[in-house]
Amino acid sequence: LQKNLKKGNQFQIMGRLSQTELTTPLAYEVSSENEEPVVAIAMPEATIETGASFMIDLNKPMTRSVTEEFADIPEAKDLIWQDDFFDDDDIVAAFDFDYEQMESYYTSIGWAWFGATILYSPLFIVALIAQTPCYLRKNVRWNVEAQHLAITRDGIRFVREKRPQCWGWHMCDAGRSSKTVPFDKITDCDIEEPAGNTCLVIPRVLMTVNIDTASSCEQRHELQISGIKNPYAFKKVGV
């Protein structure tokens, strides 16, 4: 079993498990198929003792919390998150994005722009040849799910991991990028709540966090992040 523990798979074990050790760098939910309660496995080592059959679903990472090293930070001690991207020692807390809402919103904008190309037939034909209707949502999903945000010991870290683009071919991949804004450089952190519509008909639904430094201006923020589930908790810890 230990060799087959891969994220994205499910394993069903029938019969009795006694003092079975599961070692993996992440924590997962174990769901029982009968009336037994859900068993939460604490990683990296855990012991399960049960006589019931159960299923291990590696699609459901458990929530994480602030480590003991940073538990004395009042603004961060109660934070929990599910993003398992960061594993650096200097991470105070990570912040989850609402990937589903982001995907829905940006896909709607993409369809609006695609529809607008009908007004200029050469551009519309090019979009059809490029198979835009087939890959629009995939490109949005690849882009939004590549975003990760954390507060580190020294500042705010925003990462876009390596991701597919266009038709998903390796030659079209976008490389990983990372930006850290040190705390001592931050001059302002504003939260912009959604209002009005985009493209006239698509309601804005994403909260946006604008982070400024001395080199920022009204037209350009040092870092602009949209889609965080809890932007107010982020601001409280990050500033």
Side-chain angles (χ1 to χ4, degrees), residues 21-39:
E21 290 188 355
L22 302 177
T23 56
T24 178
L26 299 178
Y28 299 98
E29 292 178 355
V30 176
S31 302
S32 173
E33 286 191 332
N34 50 30
E35 296 180 357
E36 295 291 327
V38 172
V39 180

Side-chain angles (χ1 to χ4, degrees), residues 73-92:
I73 302 175
E75 297 82 358
K77 63 180 182 179
D78 295 326
L79 292 176
I80 58 173
W81 62 92
Q82 289 186 325
D83 192 345
D84 57 14
F85 176 78
F86 297 99
D87 56 4
D88 304 319
D89 294 335
D90 64 339
I91 297 296
V92 176

Side-chain angles (χ1 to χ4, degrees), residues 15-223:
R16 182 179 180 82
L17 287 180
S18 177
Q19 298 296 321
T20 301
E21 290 188 355
L22 302 177
T23 56
T24 178
L26 299 178
Y28 299 98
E29 292 178 355
V30 176
S31 302
S32 173
E33 286 191 332
N34 50 30
E35 296 180 357
E36 295 291 327
V38 172
V39 180
I41 306 180
M43 296 303 172
E45 292 185 358
T47 300
I48 303 174
E49 191 170 5
T50 178
S53 63
F54 59 89
M55 179 180 294
I56 300 177
D57 187 350
L58 301 188
N59 286 311
K60 298 180 179 178
M62 291 175 60
T63 55
R64 299 185 171 203
S65 58
V66 177
T67 61
E68 292 184 3
E69 181 181 357
F70 303 108
D72 58 341
I73 302 175
E75 297 82 358
K77 63 180 182 179
D78 295 326
L79 292 176
I80 58 173
W81 62 92
Q82 289 186 325
D83 192 345
D84 57 14
F85 176 78
F86 297 99
D87 56 4
D88 304 319
D89 294 335
D90 64 339
I91 297 296
V92 176
F95 292 84
D96 294 321
F97 286 88
D98 192 336
Y99 291 135
E100 291 185 6
Q101 189 178 55
M102 294 169 69
E103 180 181 335
S104 176
Y105 175 67
Y106 290 126
T107 299
S108 297
I109 294 176
W111 280 117
W113 282 107
F114 175 73
T117 62
I118 297 177
L119 301 176
Y120 185 62
S121 56
L123 188 58
F124 178 68
I125 293 172
V126 170
L128 288 177
I129 293 174
Q131 297 180 306
T132 298
C134 300
Y135 289 94
L136 176 59
R137 180 173 287 274
K138 286 184 178 180
N139 274 269
V140 171
R141 183 182 304 121
W142 291 333
N143 184 60
V144 300
E145 292 185 354
Q147 300 180 49
H148 306 278
L149 178 67
I151 299 291
T152 70
R153 185 183 288 108
D154 303 315
I156 298 170
R157 183 176 302 166
F158 177 65
V159 177
R160 289 182 187 269
E161 59 181 313
K162 182 181 178 181
R163 59 200 180 278
Q165 286 191 139
C166 301
W167 304 279
W169 302 340
H170 292 302
M171 68 181 71
C172 301
D173 285 356
R176 169 175 169 153
S177 61
S178 176
K179 183 168 187 175
T180 300
V181 182
F183 289 131
D184 57 1
K185 301 293 185 182
I186 297 175
T187 58
D188 198 7
C189 179
D190 293 327
I191 296 176
E192 185 178 335
E193 297 187 355
N197 290 352
T198 300
C199 301
L200 299 179
V201 295
I202 302 171
R204 297 188 180 98
V205 295
L206 302 179
M207 304 278 278
T208 300
V209 177
N210 300 314
I211 300 168
D212 295 318
T213 63
S215 61
S216 303
C217 62
E218 188 175 340
Q219 291 76 29
R220 186 186 67 84
H221 301 284
E222 186 68 28
L223 190 59

